[in-house]
Amino acid sequence: MQKKTLSFPSPELLTQRPPFPRKVMIQTTSRCNSGCVFCPYREVRKEFPQGEMEEDLFQSILDELSRYKEVERVIPYLMNEPLCDKRIISWIYRIKERLPWVQVHILTNGINLHSRLRKELLNSPLDWVGISIHAIRADTYRRFTGREDFPEILRRITLFVQEAMEKRGEDFVMINITRVPGFLTEEEKEEAILYWKNLGVKRIEYYPAPVSRAGNITWLSRIRHTRIKGCRSIWRNEMIHILYHGEVVLCCMDWRREMVMGNVRENSLKDIWNSPRYMEVESWIRGEGNPPPDFLCFRCEEAEE
């Protein structure tokens, strides 16, 4: 596909970040099969079109990435449930075939881990998988997701973990637990952690509270900075985020597509990453210039004052 040519910023603006992103998140589908109360998807899915990435776009992204050996991770997951994409296994293989040196991993809610997909994931070249499961009791899970099938979901995840420990080792699975106010009690949190430890899971990430995703979860208390001087988010200066239709957004907090940096159907990732638009926003994050009063980062818990 033909790309436009963008003008590049002055060299002094290119400090503190690599000339090409080292980590790449790709939203192969925008869909999810759950309704977690601490996720913006419940509202955003009604406000914006949803869809799947077209194959030619995915291939174009991989073709460009393959020219940059400094790329370290390609993550086919962004603001979605990656196992809702029936092509996810083939996508994983294609990433590894085109960029055999990169690390590939996903974060899933585990709902779709039926026997066939469990086997396919374990046999795939995926480096590791994170599973977000924020309860260990059916009633708690139902209240914050709206789903009634927790016993079956837990069974699927448990079997996957057991099979992964045997086939791929203890580093292959990470369990992610977030304590949601009014839902997960301290007692159940400890019960959940013990459950996964007893299955041999070593990588357990626990978060004492969810973040508001830059104010995109409307019922959570909101942060309002008047100015910022940086960002604590991991990989901020190294990661680029590509939505299913090609738009590049600032980060994984931008659920409502407020900070669109470009579109890979129109420009290369390198041109977008180094564009005047990106450099201006980077300067705002560093506390320079005059960002608009509704700047996304003013509402984010990861921003540094």
Side-chain angles (χ1 to χ4, degrees), residues 14 25 27 48 73 77 99 111 127 135 145-147 167 179 184-185 198 218 226 232 258 263 285-286 290 296:
L14 296 177
M25 294 191 82
Q27 186 186 67
F48 294 91
R73 300 191 189 205
Y77 156 78
L99 296 91
I111 292 172
D127 289 287
T145 66
R147 296 190 63 104
K167 187 177 183 65
R179 185 177 182 181
L184 187 68
T185 64
N198 286 340
T218 55
T226 55
R232 294 183 295 268
E258 299 174 52
N263 193 307
I285 295 171
R286 293 195 301 269
N290 296 296
L296 178 74

XYZ file of all heavy atoms in Angstrom, residues 14 25 27 48 73 77 99 111 127 135 145-147 167 179 184-185 198 218 226 232 258 263 285-286 290 296:
230
model
N 14.491 14.282 19.170
C 14.515 12.833 19.118
C 15.279 12.207 20.278
O 15.557 11.015 20.277
C 15.134 12.377 17.792
C 14.338 12.772 16.540
C 15.069 12.339 15.289
C 12.933 12.200 16.558
N 2.316 -3.131 20.062
C 1.045 -3.778 20.390
C 0.132 -3.664 19.173
O -0.036 -2.573 18.605
C 0.381 -3.126 21.603
C 1.148 -3.306 22.897
S 0.183 -2.813 24.378
C -0.803 -4.301 24.640
N -3.711 -4.607 17.733
C -5.085 -5.007 18.046
C -5.648 -5.756 16.841
O -6.172 -5.160 15.919
C -5.933 -3.766 18.361
C -7.341 -4.059 18.831
C -8.145 -2.787 18.982
O -8.446 -2.103 17.998
N -8.501 -2.459 20.208
N -17.967 3.445 19.620
C -17.075 3.419 18.474
C -17.274 2.136 17.680
O -17.611 1.092 18.246
C -15.615 3.497 18.938
C -15.244 4.796 19.593
C -15.368 4.944 20.966
C -14.788 5.867 18.839
C -15.031 6.137 21.579
C -14.447 7.057 19.444
C -14.570 7.202 20.813
N 9.664 -6.859 21.113
C 8.405 -7.552 21.409
C 7.339 -7.146 20.395
O 7.234 -5.974 20.049
C 7.881 -7.208 22.801
C 8.802 -7.563 23.939
C 8.085 -7.423 25.261
N 9.009 -7.551 26.377
C 8.674 -7.928 27.589
N 7.408 -8.202 27.857
N 9.564 -8.024 28.543
N -2.214 -7.985 21.022
C -3.216 -7.733 22.066
C -3.208 -6.241 22.362
O -2.156 -5.632 22.492
C -2.848 -8.518 23.329
C -3.421 -7.946 24.613
C -4.752 -8.168 24.952
C -2.638 -7.190 25.477
C -5.280 -7.644 26.119
C -3.156 -6.660 26.646
C -4.478 -6.881 26.965
O -4.999 -6.353 28.111
N 9.521 -12.358 12.215
C 10.440 -11.749 13.167
C 10.841 -12.798 14.213
O 10.408 -12.745 15.358
C 9.791 -10.541 13.860
C 9.405 -9.337 13.002
C 7.967 -9.483 12.503
C 9.551 -8.049 13.773
N -11.443 -17.079 29.049
C -12.791 -17.622 28.824
C -12.808 -18.614 27.669
O -13.496 -19.642 27.722
C -13.800 -16.472 28.580
C -13.984 -15.672 29.881
C -15.127 -16.997 28.068
C -14.805 -14.404 29.711
N 5.690 -17.023 23.490
C 6.693 -17.072 24.559
C 6.062 -17.197 25.938
O 6.589 -17.898 26.799
C 7.581 -15.824 24.496
C 8.511 -15.863 23.297
O 9.475 -16.639 23.323
O 8.257 -15.138 22.314
N -11.010 -13.073 40.480
C -11.849 -13.668 41.528
C -11.546 -15.152 41.570
O -10.962 -15.711 40.636
C -13.331 -13.432 41.247
N -18.325 -9.258 36.213
C -18.250 -9.508 34.774
C -19.616 -9.688 34.130
O -19.752 -9.534 32.918
C -17.432 -10.781 34.474
O -18.137 -11.912 34.995
C -16.043 -10.692 35.064
N -20.626 -10.045 34.942
C -21.942 -10.340 34.386
C -22.063 -11.763 33.856
O -23.125 -12.155 33.362
N -21.015 -12.559 33.955
C -21.034 -13.918 33.426
C -21.417 -14.920 34.508
O -21.018 -14.802 35.664
C -19.673 -14.286 32.835
C -19.281 -13.429 31.629
C -18.055 -14.005 30.965
N -18.317 -15.336 30.430
C -18.501 -15.608 29.138
N -18.460 -14.628 28.250
N -18.729 -16.848 28.734
N 4.172 -28.874 29.980
C 4.703 -28.805 28.618
C 5.670 -27.648 28.395
O 6.669 -27.769 27.680
C 3.537 -28.706 27.622
C 3.947 -28.796 26.161
C 2.750 -28.763 25.260
C 3.135 -28.931 23.792
N 3.708 -30.250 23.495
N -7.586 -6.216 42.536
C -8.607 -6.126 43.585
C -9.546 -4.965 43.270
O -9.176 -3.799 43.368
C -7.949 -5.912 44.954
C -8.955 -5.942 46.088
C -8.270 -5.810 47.434
N -9.236 -5.882 48.523
C -8.911 -5.772 49.804
N -7.646 -5.595 50.159
N -9.839 -5.841 50.733
N -13.666 -7.816 45.282
C -12.712 -8.784 45.795
C -12.286 -8.418 47.216
O -11.664 -7.389 47.437
C -11.483 -8.850 44.882
C -10.467 -9.947 45.208
C -11.064 -11.323 44.918
C -9.182 -9.746 44.412
N -12.609 -9.275 48.153
C -12.227 -9.031 49.541
C -10.781 -9.473 49.772
O -10.202 -10.207 48.965
C -13.136 -9.802 50.510
O -12.936 -11.217 50.287
C -14.595 -9.441 50.289
N -0.659 -23.098 44.416
C -0.750 -24.542 44.587
C -0.701 -25.289 43.251
O -0.391 -26.485 43.208
C -2.016 -24.918 45.347
C -1.928 -24.592 46.830
O -0.836 -24.439 47.375
N -3.066 -24.505 47.485
N -15.687 5.470 33.996
C -16.353 6.658 34.518
C -16.729 6.558 35.991
O -16.853 7.575 36.672
C -17.602 6.975 33.680
O -18.463 5.816 33.636
C -17.221 7.323 32.247
N -2.954 19.490 36.638
C -2.923 20.772 35.924
C -1.706 20.869 35.026
O -1.714 21.606 34.036
C -2.916 21.945 36.919
O -1.815 21.779 37.828
C -4.219 21.968 37.713
N 5.088 7.417 34.206
C 5.665 6.249 34.859
C 5.338 4.935 34.145
O 5.840 3.879 34.520
C 5.158 6.142 36.300
C 5.618 7.251 37.224
C 5.112 7.011 38.641
N 3.662 7.083 38.705
C 2.975 8.195 38.972
N 3.631 9.322 39.213
N 1.657 8.184 39.014
N -8.594 9.472 21.545
C -8.448 10.925 21.622
C -7.151 11.408 20.993
O -7.093 12.511 20.436
C -8.489 11.378 23.084
C -9.773 11.053 23.806
C -9.689 11.403 25.279
O -9.314 12.543 25.612
O -9.989 10.524 26.125
N -2.002 6.881 10.912
C -2.631 5.641 10.460
C -1.631 4.894 9.578
O -1.081 5.476 8.638
C -3.915 5.930 9.683
C -4.766 4.684 9.479
O -4.290 3.665 8.988
N -6.040 4.760 9.862
N 4.170 15.658 27.351
C 4.340 14.694 28.441
C 5.536 15.071 29.308
O 5.527 14.875 30.529
C 4.493 13.263 27.868
C 3.192 12.832 27.173
C 4.844 12.264 28.972
C 3.300 11.536 26.402
N 6.555 15.653 28.698
C 7.740 16.062 29.462
C 7.522 17.378 30.206
O 8.420 17.860 30.893
C 8.951 16.207 28.531
C 9.427 14.902 27.919
C 10.815 15.068 27.314
N 10.859 16.100 26.287
C 10.653 15.883 24.992
N 10.377 14.669 24.566
N 10.720 16.870 24.129
N 2.415 23.776 25.330
C 1.085 24.141 25.834
C 0.045 23.122 25.381
O -0.666 23.332 24.394
C 0.701 25.535 25.330
C 1.613 26.611 25.857
O 1.667 26.861 27.056
N 2.353 27.258 24.949
N -5.210 14.025 27.319
C -5.452 12.715 27.923
C -4.609 12.485 29.179
O -5.111 11.990 30.197
C -5.152 11.621 26.886
C -5.293 10.170 27.336
C -6.762 9.780 27.464
C -4.591 9.233 26.345
